[in-house]
């Protein structure tokens, strides 16, 4: 029988109505009696051995009782190569390659729960072949700043989009048998100083924006693991934050699973274990002998240890272990997973601008100058943190060669020298001037070609864990090169290869077409070639706003980011761990989230700030017409119905979006908020009725006094369209 966890909420008096107690099924409670019997027969030393790392990516089981170790798979977009047991050095195996799936922002640009599920399932299939029990992902922190070092890894600036995709990814992985570990819980929204920054935020903004994706994945998808973030929240480290780990995660959400630390992210013994931390990774500084001593002198009850072990065993009994001799025997990066990577990549590509240059007409175009190192740069590895030793990664140039090489002459020139690891290690800035010689060669090629495709953007050394970008300006003199290319040939298509927003003001002005292709995985080059040549129509939508200026971003506009550090010689906490440097921090930084819940498009709407391209935006080669909106109440909330027509002569997919406004609300709210979406495929000329359900839960606000979700009755305006700024359908309703 499937176990049931009960979530208890408080019913408050007044005009608003609280969400009532609900029951959610979980597989984690299916083996309680067996687990209790095991715990009774364990020694204290055996229990504590389970509460910290055994190797760099494993924690101990109980060999005497036949309980296997837990093996962790790093990271969220591909199974990392095997490391030596107690170091960050590669094990140099030949059987530990994997599929490089499109990174988080690319997945989010699909706005597809169907493909997020397939993505999670594909990750699980490869994790199991490699003998892994838990994927360290998905990474679902809100993209608060576009310069964030892990923006490429995270999903979106919006909690509804992030949460829906996190739910699907989690279900896909766990239905296949691998636990997820949602990360980084919580409010790890910057990489600079993440190891010693203290996030100050209101309870309402925290729940509505930053905790909401985690809550959805825990309550709706039964996520089995959570990773505590490096930072502090409201004065307490996430690894020992009683409010986050016990009050919210375990009591409010009913989470019965296990919490592991980020690597090197534990700061105490008693506070960590009593606040809900299960496993210190990767060592035992605080939750090894120090924990045994704390129990023996009465600072920690053994009942607390039993509870932490119980939560680990729930996951261990739910995830079938893979025998070590069976792991990494069969190859990964197989056709099924590569197909998933391709399908996600196809749907992620966002067309921002098109002045009749796309799709490429190969009957008319006979020579193409392909300019830019990003046309040949592989993105599976690079920077600090997780990467993928993939069996295959098709670059944009390789994709074009496969699709048009027989009919069109391709001339490649690098045009610029990309920012590389050596430059980063020397602490050089990516913002260098253009290389005169490389630019001259690129211009010469552009003059001879019928068409220029310019690959600009970042790479995995510019966008990296452990540090944030200092600007969103295109690196390596790319703006200067773009201007020179446009003068040489007005038939200029620019493709931005990046994980997050960059300043596109210059390339947008000089390019006839502009496209975003992300860090798009093993099959990204093929997907891009298919879109450029018109085999498929672009259908990705921006999962975050692309601003005109960095200073318009709310965290920058309010002066809450970046913080000032008096002495930053110690560097990043994770980098320090890798290099065996001290993680002690003397200066405590405050990140005051002064914009509260006005993140991303919410802020730009409220402040009437113009942006380069809005949240949810993306063009197609097809044209879509929205009409005939109507609303019907349901037991769960309301259904929004409308007609969508493909008025063009080509098949295409559209991401339909529903936003809700509450202009007469008694509480402060954004101008509008995303509350539903659906990806729809339509044949040429096809007309289809679309229904998007809006759940009552998603219409609530967090009541700080009652400490629960409350539904405020009143008028609401339902808006439907193809982006946050293109909403042709409106209808008022009562909630």
């Amino acid at each position: 029988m499937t176990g049931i966890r009960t979530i208890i909420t408080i019913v408050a008096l007044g005009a608003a109505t609280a969400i009532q107690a609900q029951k959610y099924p979980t597989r984690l409670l299916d083996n309680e009696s067996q687990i209790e019997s095991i715990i009774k027969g364990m020694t204290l030393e055996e229990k504590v051995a389970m509460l910290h790392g055994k190797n760099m990516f494993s924690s101990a089981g109980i060999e005497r009782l036949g309980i296997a170790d837990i093996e962790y798979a790093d990271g969220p977009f591909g199974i990392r190569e095997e490391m030596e047991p107690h170091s960050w050095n590669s094990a140099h195996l030949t059987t530990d390659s994997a599929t490089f799936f499109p990174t988080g922002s690319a997945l989010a640009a699909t706005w597809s729960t169907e493909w997020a599920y397939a993505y999670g399932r594909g990750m699980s299939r490869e994790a199991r072949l490699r003998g892994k029990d838990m994927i360290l992902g998905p990474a679902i922190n809100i993209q608060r700043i576009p310069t964030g070092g892990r923006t490429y890894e995270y999903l979106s600036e919006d909690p509804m989009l992030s949460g829906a995709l996190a739910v699907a990814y989690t279900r896909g992985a766990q239905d296949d048998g691998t636990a997820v570990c949602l990360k980084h819980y919580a409010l790890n929204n910057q990489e600079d100083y993440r190891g010693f920054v203290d996030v100050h935020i209101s309870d309402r903004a925290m729940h509505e924006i930053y905790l909401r994706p985690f809550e959805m994945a825990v309550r709706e998808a039964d996520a089995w693991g959570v990773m505590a973030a490096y930072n502090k929240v409201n004065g307490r480290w996430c690894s020992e934050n009683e409010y986050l780990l016990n009050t919210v995660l375990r009591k409010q959400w009913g989470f019965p699973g296990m919490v592991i630390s980020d690597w090197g992210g534990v700061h105490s013994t008693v506070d960590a274990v009593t606040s809900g931390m299960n496993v210190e990774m990767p060592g035992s500084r605080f939750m090894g002998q120090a924990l045994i001593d704390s129990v023996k002198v009465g600072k920690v009850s053994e009942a607390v240890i039993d509870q932490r072990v119980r939560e680990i065993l729930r996951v261990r009994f739910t995830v079938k272990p893979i025998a070590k001799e069976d792991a990494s025997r069969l190859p990964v990066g197989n056709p099924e997973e590569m197909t998933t990577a391709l399908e996600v990549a196809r749907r992620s590509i966002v067309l921002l601008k098109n002045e009749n240059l796309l799709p490429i007409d190969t009957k008319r175009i006979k020579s193409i100058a392909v300019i830019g190192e990003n046309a040949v740069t592989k993105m599976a590895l690079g920077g600090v943190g997780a990467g993928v030793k993939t069996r295959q990664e098709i670059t944009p140039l390789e994709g074009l060669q496969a699709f048009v090489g027989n009919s069109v002459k391709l001339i490649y020139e690098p045009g610029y020298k990309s920012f590389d690891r050596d430059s980063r290690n020397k602490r050089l800035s990516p913002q260098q001037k253009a290389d005169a010689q490389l630019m001259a060669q690129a211009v010469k090629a552009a003059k001879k070609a019928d068409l220029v495709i310019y690959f600009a953007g970042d790479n995995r050394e510019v966008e990296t864990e452990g540090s944030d970008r200092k600007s969103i300006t295109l690196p390596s003199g790319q703006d200067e090169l773009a201007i020179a290319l446009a003068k040489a040939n007005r038939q200029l298509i620019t493709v931005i290869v990046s994980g997050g927003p960059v300043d596109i003001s210059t390339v947008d002005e000089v390019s006839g077409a502009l496209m975003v292709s992300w860090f798009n995985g093993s099959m990204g080059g093929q997907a891009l070639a298919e879109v450029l040549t018109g085999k498929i129509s672009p259908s990705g939508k921006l999962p975050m706003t692309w601003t005109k200026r960095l200073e318009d971003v709310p965290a920058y506009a309010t002066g809450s980011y970046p913080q000032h550090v008096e002495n930053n010689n110690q560097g990043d906490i994770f980098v320090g761990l890798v290099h065996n440097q001290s993680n002690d921090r003397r200066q405590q930084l405050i990140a005051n989230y002064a914009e509260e819940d006005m993140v991303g498009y919410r802020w730009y709407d409220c402040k009437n700030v113009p942006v380069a391209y809005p949240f949810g935006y993306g063009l197609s080669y097809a044209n879509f017409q929205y009409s005939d909106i109507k609303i019907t109440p349901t037991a769960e909330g309301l259904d929004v119905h409308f007609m969508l027509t493909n008025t063009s002569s080509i098949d295409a997919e559209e991401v339909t979006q529903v936003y809700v406004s509450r202009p007469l609300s008694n509480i402060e709210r954004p101008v509008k908020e995303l509350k539903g979406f659906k990806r729809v495929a339509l044949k040429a000329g096809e007309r289809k009725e679309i229904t998007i359900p809006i759940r009552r839960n998603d219409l609530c606000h967090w009541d700080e006094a009652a400490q629960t979700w409350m539904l405020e009755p009143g008028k609401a305006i339902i808006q439907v369209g193809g982006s946050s700024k293109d909403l042709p359908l409106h209808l008022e309703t009562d909630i």
Side-chain angles (χ1 to χ4, degrees), residues 289-360:
Q289 186 61 47
L291 183 53
I292 293 174
D293 295 342
S294 297
V295 174
K296 289 182 176 179
V297 300
K299 290 184 177 180
V300 176
S301 165
E302 192 161 352
V304 171
I305 304 299
D306 289 349
Q307 181 60 19
R308 298 291 86 87
V309 171
R310 182 178 296 112
E311 290 153 354
I312 295 169
L313 287 175
R314 287 169 178 166
V315 177
R316 178 67 284 173
F317 273 69
T318 303
V319 178
K320 181 181 178 181
I322 304 294
K324 286 182 169 40
E325 59 268 23
D326 293 332
S328 297
R329 291 181 59 221
L330 298 175
V332 293
N334 293 314
E336 184 172 348
E337 280 64 64
M338 287 293 182
T339 296
T340 297
L342 175 60
E343 294 291 354
V344 170
R346 284 169 169 164
R347 290 164 176 81
S348 73
I349 295 167
V350 181
L351 180 61
L352 298 178
K353 175 183 180 181
N354 187 18
E355 296 177 348
N356 297 317
L357 288 185
L358 292 171
I360 297 170

Side-chain angles (χ1 to χ4, degrees), residues 79 94 100-101 172 251 254 268 283 302 382 443 612 636 652 685 689 718:
I79 310 303
T94 58
F100 170 26
F101 290 92
K251 294 177 183 177
S268 68
E302 192 161 352
V443 167
E636 298 297 323
E689 182 177 20
I718 310 300

Side-chain angles (χ1 to χ4, degrees), residues 205-399:
M206 178 165 59
H207 277 270
E208 291 187 9
I209 302 295
Y210 298 97
L211 297 187
R212 184 61 177 148
F214 290 93
E215 179 182 10
M216 291 173 69
V218 167
R219 297 180 68 168
E220 298 173 30
D222 187 30
W224 299 334
V226 170
M227 180 186 290
Y230 281 129
N231 51 284
K232 287 184 176 181
V233 173
N234 292 333
R236 295 293 300 273
W237 296 110
C238 288
S239 59
E240 56 190 58
N241 196 302
E242 172 73 19
Y243 180 72
L244 286 177
L245 297 183
N246 278 339
T247 301
V248 175
L249 181 62
R250 298 199 187 278
K251 294 177 183 177
Q252 291 180 356
W253 300 350
F255 176 71
M258 59 185 283
V259 177
I260 71 170
S261 76
D262 207 334
W263 269 230
V266 174
H267 298 266
S268 68
T269 297
V270 176
D271 288 345
V273 75
T274 57
S275 295
M277 175 61 60
N278 293 93
V279 180
E280 174 190 7
M281 289 299 294
S284 58
R285 178 182 178 187
F286 295 103
M287 295 178 67
Q289 186 61 47
L291 183 53
I292 293 174
D293 295 342
S294 297
V295 174
K296 289 182 176 179
V297 300
K299 290 184 177 180
V300 176
S301 165
E302 192 161 352
V304 171
I305 304 299
D306 289 349
Q307 181 60 19
R308 298 291 86 87
V309 171
R310 182 178 296 112
E311 290 153 354
I312 295 169
L313 287 175
R314 287 169 178 166
V315 177
R316 178 67 284 173
F317 273 69
T318 303
V319 178
K320 181 181 178 181
I322 304 294
K324 286 182 169 40
E325 59 268 23
D326 293 332
S328 297
R329 291 181 59 221
L330 298 175
V332 293
N334 293 314
E336 184 172 348
E337 280 64 64
M338 287 293 182
T339 296
T340 297
L342 175 60
E343 294 291 354
V344 170
R346 284 169 169 164
R347 290 164 176 81
S348 73
I349 295 167
V350 181
L351 180 61
L352 298 178
K353 175 183 180 181
N354 187 18
E355 296 177 348
N356 297 317
L357 288 185
L358 292 171
I360 297 170
D361 183 358
T362 55
K363 294 180 180 179
R364 182 177 62 87
I365 301 296
K366 294 304 177 184
S367 62
I368 298 176
V370 178
I371 308 297
E373 270 201 7
N374 273 356
V376 298
T377 301
K378 296 188 176 183
M379 302 296 181
L381 296 169
V384 175
V388 187
K389 187 170 76 175
T390 185
R391 292 170 65 190
Q392 179 182 23
E393 181 178 351
I394 300 173
T395 65
L397 181 58
E398 289 170 341

Side-chain angles (χ1 to χ4, degrees), residues 369-425:
V370 178
I371 308 297
E373 270 201 7
N374 273 356
V376 298
T377 301
K378 296 188 176 183
M379 302 296 181
L381 296 169
V384 175
V388 187
K389 187 170 76 175
T390 185
R391 292 170 65 190
Q392 179 182 23
E393 181 178 351
I394 300 173
T395 65
L397 181 58
E398 289 170 341
L400 284 167
Q401 288 170 335
F403 268 77
V404 302
N406 292 330
S407 57
V408 177
K409 182 181 180 182
L410 298 176
I411 310 160
Y412 169 71
E413 290 291 344
Y416 56 83
K417 185 181 185 301
S418 289
F419 187 72
D420 57 20
R421 176 165 296 190
D422 183 57
S423 298
R424 181 166 55 80
N425 290 342

Side-chain angles (χ1 to χ4, degrees), residues 588-657:
Q588 183 64 70
L589 293 181
I590 303 298
N592 179 28
Y593 282 30
E595 74 278 10
E596 293 289 342
D597 61 345
M598 297 296 176
V599 180
Y601 69 90
R602 292 165 167 81
W603 173 270
Y604 306 117
D605 283 351
C606 178
K607 303 296 183 181
N608 292 314
V609 176
V611 300
Y613 289 99
F615 175 76
Y617 180 88
L619 300 175
S620 171
Y621 297 152
N623 296 309
F624 298 98
Q625 182 181 74
Y626 289 78
S627 62
D628 304 327
I629 184 174
K630 61 182 180 180
I631 297 169
T632 58
T634 68
E636 298 297 323
L638 55 90
D639 282 348
V640 180
H641 311 274
F642 56 94
M643 299 303 298
L644 183 69
T645 306
N646 180 350
T647 60
S648 65
S649 59
I650 59 173
D651 301 344
E653 296 184 12
E654 166 73 331
V655 176
T656 59
Q657 303 163 43

